[in-house]
Every structure is written in C-alpha cells, then in structure tokens.
Amino acid sequence: MRIGISNKPETDMTKRETTAADGKNIPKEIKKQLLHYMKLTREIEYRVEKVLYRQGKIVGGVYVGRGQEAISVGTGMLMRENDVVAPTHRDMGIFLIRGVSPRRIIAQYMGRKTGVTQGKDGNMHMGDLKHNIIAFVSHLGDNVPQAAGAALAMKMRGEDRVAFCYSGEGATSRGDWHEGINFAAVHKLPVVFFINNNQYAYSTPVSLQMPVKNVADRAPAYGIPGDVIDGNDVLAVYLSAQRAVEWARSGKGPYMVEYKTFRMTGHSAHDDAGYVPREVFDEWKKKDPVERLEHQMLGAGEITNEELAGMASEITGIVDDAVDWADKSPYPDPEDCLKDVYFEK
Ligand SMILES: Cc1ncc(C[n+]2csc(CCOP(=O)(O)OP(=O)(O)O)c2C)c(N)n1
C-alpha cells in the first residue's frame, strides 16, 4: 500500500532561480559595498591563513571561506542593527558587516587580549553580543536551535527582529539541525536559514552526506519555503536573501535558502585538500565571486579600474594596520582566564 503524502503547501515553496540579470536593479552603491566586504574578507583571511599561520603567529586552527565570500556578505547586508546572527566558521563577512573591527578579528586569531574573546579562544569561534552575534558552537548544527531560540524570544516579546542562521551542508546531517528547523517552523518564528553547500564537509563529499540533490529539497517537509541559489553570484545571493528576510520579517515564519558554492581551500589551514580533484578547483576558480562582481560592474560602467585599484589599496592598508596593531597587543593575563566565561550577576 502506498501512503500518500500531502504536498499541497500552504505557502509558495517553488524553487526560484535568481540570475545576475535580476541584479541590474540593485543600486551601484550597494554593489560597491558588497565588493568591499568580499574583498576585505578575502584579504583578512589570506593574511591569516597564508601569512600569519605560516609565521607561527596564530593560536589554534584557521578556517576560511575563500571562494564563498558572497554568501555571508550578500545575506549579511540585509541585517538590521537589532537582528541577531548565528554565523559559522566560514562567515567572516558577517563580523565585518556587523562592525567588528579587523583589528579585533586579527587579534582574536593571534590569541591576544584585544581579540573578540580576549584571548580565551582562537579563530572563528567568536561572538560579540554587543553586535548581536552568537558565538559559533563547535558542535555542528547547534547554532540552529540557538537561532530558533533567539527568534522565539523575539516573537514572544513582539519585537520586529529576525534571526539569521548559517550552516554548511555537513551540519544538516545532525539531529540538532533538524530539531531547530522543525521547532522554528512549527512556531512560525522569524528566522532565516542560510546554508552554504560548499560540496565537502571536511573530506566528505556531498554525495556521501545526503541522498537528495539539494538541502533545500527538505524545506517543504518542514512546511517552509526553500530556494536553491548560485552562491557565487553575490547579486543573486543578495536578492534571494532579501526575499527570505522579508518573508520572516512579515511574520510568515522561517525561510531556507541553499547556496551552491565551493570551498577553495582545505577544511582548515593544516589540510591540503588532497581529496579534491584538481580539475574541480579549476572549474570553480572560473566562478570566483569577487572577480565575477568586478567584471559585472566594470562591464556595466558601475566602477572604473582606478576605483578598483583604490579599493584594493585601501583594504591592504586596513589589514596592514590590523596585523600591526594585533601583533603589538598583549597576551591575556592568566588570572583572567575564567573572567566572562560564566554568567555572573
Ligand atoms: C557534531 C560535530 N561533528 C563533527 C565535527 C568536526 N567537524 C568540524 S567542521 C566539520 C565539517 C563541516 O562541514 P559543513 O557543515 O559542511 O561546513 P563547512 O566546514 O564545509 O563550511 C566537521 C566534520 C564537529 N565540529 N561537530
């Protein structure tokens, strides 16, 4: 006997294609900001992964989002100041957009007292509640119920706020991920779930991670919309995030968007990604999100080569200053190691 599944959704859950052509209407100033944040992200991560790590100046691991900068930047630009965000270890753009300074970020990686966690943790496991950023919990999937919880509080208080939640496709195999999404969907909470599907979870390819083609294919099973978008096209990312955030902000409940992308490096700085065929990197290199936006803007006369050169040198200056400042910063005092770890009245 076949058991029928009612797939008559209450909401419109059609998969949408957003193309660069749709991006034409995005104002030039927004595109410049998108480019700025993607380039700043890339430069900070380059310095951390390829320079400071190799100089032995980094305390702990280094996880970067090279090649997938468009996702945190394109979605993060939609955040309002009072929105809450639960990023992952590949979402540097979120920190920059939220206003965490490159100085504090580099100091974080270098384990200094002036870093975001004041030297208590290294790398991207950082949060700053002054900026409404929930620190990433190492256990994959855990930030999903956290974001759902934040969204529940917002709804109960009648606040006009949205929670932004990020995960990789690997995290979607965890029970916590499903529980968090189900809870948010049942209670129609104001939360957007942005998934970076970068094809590998450490060395596990997506084909061994899930039996369905898209993470977002699962969204209708929770009764929420799910879109699949080119994550290397920042304009498509921006427009899709706009749709998702408007949906959540207007009280319709959660929205999921899956961004197809690729991690153009190893899982972390110690990993040479030898398990990824060379041709795959070559293929994705052609879709580089930063170069893509530069070409689009140059082609549309929205930016000049001189402006691009100016932006590049400004960014180099920002990161030089951040590295210099962090390098001169002190290490934490041992007696402060338990300070701010537990809640104190
Ligand atoms: C519950 C759990 N299992 C395993 C790990 C070890 N681990 C850290 S990152 C990672 C891969 C993550 O893949 P994905 O969620 O796709 O994110 P990506 O790193 O590709 O952005 C693994 C297996 C972990 N942190 N938590």
Side-chain angles (χ1 to χ4, degrees):
M1 189 181 72
R2 238 181 118 213
I3 298 173
I5 298 172
S6 161
N7 55 5
K8 210 163 170 248
E10 253 181 67
T11 52
D12 172 19
M13 293 177 207
T14 330
K15 258 180 215 85
R16 293 166 185 84
E17 286 295 327
T18 305
T19 64
D22 301 320
K24 285 215 174 76
N25 300 329
I26 299 175
K28 186 170 81 176
E29 288 318 310
I30 301 252
K31 290 184 187 170
K32 283 189 180 165
Q33 285 184 54
L34 292 167
L35 189 58
H36 168 85
Y37 282 122
M38 285 200 294
K39 285 169 82 78
L40 183 55
T41 296
R42 185 162 294 185
E43 183 62 22
I44 290 176
E45 293 190 334
Y46 175 81
R47 276 321 160 89
V48 170
E49 187 189 21
K50 302 289 185 202
V51 182
L52 297 168
Y53 182 78
R54 293 179 181 182
Q55 290 173 340
K57 291 188 172 174
I58 299 294
V59 181
V62 169
Y63 309 90
V64 299
R66 190 167 336 114
Q68 51 185 84
E69 295 90 344
I71 299 167
S72 54
V73 171
T75 56
M77 284 279 288
L78 272 305
M79 287 182 293
R80 287 189 191 158
E81 208 176 331
N82 66 351
D83 290 337
V84 168
V85 56
T88 74
H89 51 296
R90 309 240 182 252
D91 294 315
M92 172 71 75
I94 294 296
F95 294 87
L96 298 170
I97 293 172
R98 290 264 77 169
V100 181
S101 73
R103 285 180 168 193
R104 288 181 73 212
I105 290 170
I106 301 276
Q108 166 77 9
Y109 276 101
M110 293 173 82
R112 306 304 170 105
K113 194 174 177 170
T114 50
V116 181
T117 60
Q118 294 146 39
K120 292 191 182 66
D121 197 349
N123 68 62
M124 291 293 279
H125 296 100
M126 58 180 170
D128 189 341
L129 291 180
K130 285 196 285 303
H131 292 280
N132 291 331
I133 304 170
I134 300 174
F136 185 52
V137 180
S138 197
H139 306 77
L140 296 172
D142 268 13
N143 66 341
V144 176
Q146 281 183 331
L152 176 66
M154 293 166 184
K155 185 167 180 175
M156 288 170 74
R157 293 174 184 154
E159 295 168 346
D160 178 17
R161 301 167 82 184
V162 171
F164 286 56
C165 182
Y166 293 79
S167 35
E169 84 290 348
T172 70
S173 299
R174 292 279 308 164
D176 327 40
W177 188 88
H178 294 271
E179 290 169 31
I181 291 185
N182 184 56
F183 184 85
V186 166
H187 295 281
K188 285 207 178 321
L189 303 180
V191 51
V192 281
F193 298 110
F194 295 131
I195 321 297
N196 88 66
N197 183 344
N198 63 10
Q199 319 295 322
Y200 281 87
Y202 211 133
S203 56
T204 305
V206 71
S207 57
L208 293 179
Q209 193 70 248
M210 57 199 210
V212 287
K213 188 162 169 244
N214 306 300
V215 171
D217 289 347
R218 291 159 168 168
Y222 294 107
I224 66 174
D227 294 348
V228 182
I229 300 290
D230 177 352
N232 281 29
D233 177 350
V234 73
L235 303 182
V237 172
Y238 181 82
L239 292 172
S240 60
Q242 203 166 39
R243 190 163 53 225
V245 173
E246 270 168 22
W247 177 279
R249 225 181 263 298
S250 63
K252 292 179 180 159
Y255 201 115
M256 184 188 297
V257 190
E258 172 184 6
Y259 296 108
K260 302 286 190 191
T261 187
F262 198 73
R263 190 191 72 203
M264 291 297 286
T265 183
H267 169 70
S268 107
H270 68 268
D271 170 26
D272 69 359
Y275 45 84
V276 178
R278 215 44 266 161
E279 319 76 79
V280 177
F281 277 120
D282 297 341
E283 214 33 59
W284 281 92
K285 171 85 186 75
K286 293 183 206 146
K287 303 181 203 166
D288 184 88
V290 180
E291 289 172 12
R292 225 159 130 182
L293 182 59
E294 283 179 351
H295 288 147
Q296 280 165 359
M297 292 184 74
L298 281 169
E302 292 172 327
I303 203 158
T304 62
N305 279 313
E306 292 68 41
E307 282 176 287
L308 281 180
M311 194 185 272
S313 76
E314 184 202 350
I315 286 171
T316 308
I318 294 171
V319 184
D320 282 348
D321 164 78
V323 171
D324 192 47
W325 184 85
D327 211 9
K328 288 184 185 135
S329 292
Y331 284 101
D333 302 315
E335 58 269 23
D336 286 344
C337 78
L338 289 181
K339 213 168 132 195
D340 299 327
V341 173
Y342 300 101
F343 177 74
E344 284 161 36
K345 279 193 188 165

